[in-house]
Amino acid sequence: MHSLYELGTRVELTGALALWLVILLRLPTARRSRQQKMLLMSAVGLAGSITVYLDPVTAALNHAFRFAESCGLFMNGWGVVSSALILDFVLAAMSRRRPWLVYGPMVLTIGALIALNYTVAPDAGCVTSQAVPWYSPFWWLLIAAHLIGTIPCAVLCVRYGRRAGDDRPVRTGLLLLAAGFTSSATFWCVVLAFLLARPPWLGALFPLNIGVTAWMMTAGVGLPLVVTVRRAAHDMSALWRLYPLWREVTEAVPYVTLDKPLPRVRAVLGGPRTIRLRLYRQVIEIRDALLVLHDYVSSEAMEAARDHIGTQQLPGEQVEPAVTACWLCTALDARQAAATPRPNQLTPGGPAHDGLRSEADFLLAVLRARALPAVRSFAVPPAPAEAARARPAVPDQRAPHSPPSRTS
């Protein structure tokens, strides 16, 4: 039991530190969304109620405040506040927010706990499980306050997590939060079971249960950070790899660029929003240049490119990028030769889905396709007029036709 308690204490301490770190990292983005702000406030409340149960924090509170020695009234009062914050978040998510209905009973509950602390066991000076039996209103009021806040929030997170559909990060984050709130509710059920049966091994589970709650909440609150970092890494990679294609097409069509281009290394340095904005601008400029270069290729040449790629037995996802790479090479050569552009009636290829990521992935596929032997072997067939001019004259080998003779 001692080793279980020590393990739980370490898990509890590291989980609380991780949860506070994630909350601090989420603060800048949570301010832009009211619901995210309220979710973060509920996480702050739960993190605070976990923190005050840490042994070093409890010792510091007992040393600093006489009020804290009164059966951990500071800890229990903060727990009621955190439950109120969680319940307020639930009602706000359901568009039924009533602050007075949440914070009014919160104040009454804290006042009742203080009153019970000083009247139920005045000799002990503290309402503990040893001094006060399980049927004391103090315990029932405290446990009810926590369960009323955490259980509805767990149900709400599960409900919206199942509605998230194909949005895996949102669904996973909500289910992790649901697991955290469920673990918090389980803790108070364990407290009730301990008050009723008093098994020592059950008391040793308290720190581990709190630590699991902290880590579950850390995972749920911190998942958007993981998604943001992952997306930023993908954007930086795409921005770096698209640079050669961007430079080539914008040198051919320089007026499509909006600002003075940054060096390749400096372009991938910055915050996630800055990197995404640069990638968005880069993709737009490449697309604009492709639209201009599209008029330097005839419809016949584009059809020839499609027919040529169709005979190469490439995977389906490589066909459109390879066709685009074929006509792009032809267009760049025509642009360099100062050919006259003519409107092309055929639509240039593109990604199957809209969106920055699909656009960037398609352009990266075009860049890779330009190195394929199938694309390098493509040659534009000559136009019919040019073919006629280039065809050598062949003398007529047939015998000359002589007119029939007339006999008199």
Side-chain angles (χ1 to χ4, degrees), residues 93-331:
M94 299 174 62
S95 300
R96 298 178 181 178
R97 187 170 183 250
R98 300 292 186 273
W100 60 270
L101 190 61
V102 174
Y103 297 105
M106 179 198 74
V107 174
L108 295 177
T109 301
I110 294 176
L113 291 177
I114 295 174
L116 287 170
N117 177 74
Y118 286 106
T119 57
V120 173
D123 296 333
C126 174
V127 179
T128 65
S129 58
Q130 290 79 19
V132 178
W134 62 269
Y135 52 81
S136 169
F138 183 92
W139 301 118
W140 291 96
L141 187 61
L142 182 62
I143 293 172
H146 283 275
L147 294 181
I148 288 173
T150 53
I151 291 178
C153 198
V155 173
L156 180 74
C157 290
V158 171
R159 177 183 176 186
Y160 282 98
R162 295 177 64 181
R163 290 182 179 180
D166 296 334
D167 197 338
R168 186 185 301 177
V170 174
R171 182 174 68 252
T172 304
L174 288 172
L175 292 180
L176 286 172
L177 289 173
F181 289 120
T182 302
S183 179
S184 178
T186 302
F187 170 78
W188 291 102
C189 294
V190 172
V191 170
L192 179 60
F194 180 79
L195 291 172
L196 295 175
R198 306 294 177 93
W201 64 269
L202 200 58
L205 285 176
F206 288 168
L208 184 59
N209 194 168
I210 296 175
V212 170
T213 301
W215 278 109
M216 287 292 183
M217 292 299 298
T218 300
V221 176
L223 187 62
L225 293 175
V226 177
V227 174
T228 300
V229 171
R230 182 180 178 183
R231 188 178 67 179
H234 181 274
D235 291 347
M236 290 175 66
S237 175
L239 191 63
W240 176 268
R241 290 186 292 163
L242 279 176
Y243 187 86
L245 178 61
W246 171 84
R247 184 172 182 177
E248 185 176 15
V249 298
T250 54
E251 284 180 351
V253 191
Y255 53 83
V256 299
T257 57
L258 298 177
D259 298 323
K260 182 180 179 180
L262 294 173
R264 191 176 185 182
V265 175
R266 286 188 58 192
V268 297
L269 299 179
R273 290 174 61 86
T274 302
I275 297 298
R276 194 162 186 82
L277 181 61
R278 288 174 184 168
L279 177 62
Y280 179 79
R281 190 178 68 184
Q282 186 184 67
V283 168
I284 291 296
E285 290 176 355
I286 293 175
R287 271 298 183 183
D288 289 344
L290 291 181
L291 288 175
V292 175
L293 293 171
H294 181 247
D295 291 337
Y296 283 85
V297 187
S298 65
S299 300
E300 292 77 13
M302 292 188 66
E303 290 293 348
R306 188 169 298 278
D307 294 339
H308 172 74
I309 294 299
T311 63
Q312 302 299 317
Q313 297 181 348
L314 295 176
E317 66 275 6
Q318 294 184 13
V319 171
E320 282 299 329
V323 171
T324 303
C326 286
W327 71 254
L328 176 59
C329 294
T330 303

Side-chain angles (χ1 to χ4, degrees), residues 21-40:
L21 177 62
V22 167
I23 288 172
L24 292 175
L25 293 175
R26 283 291 310 277
L27 277 177
T29 56
R31 289 182 299 181
R32 303 189 188 101
S33 170
R34 180 171 174 270
Q35 285 191 343
Q36 290 294 324
K37 189 190 307 182
M38 296 194 67
L39 174 61
L40 205 62

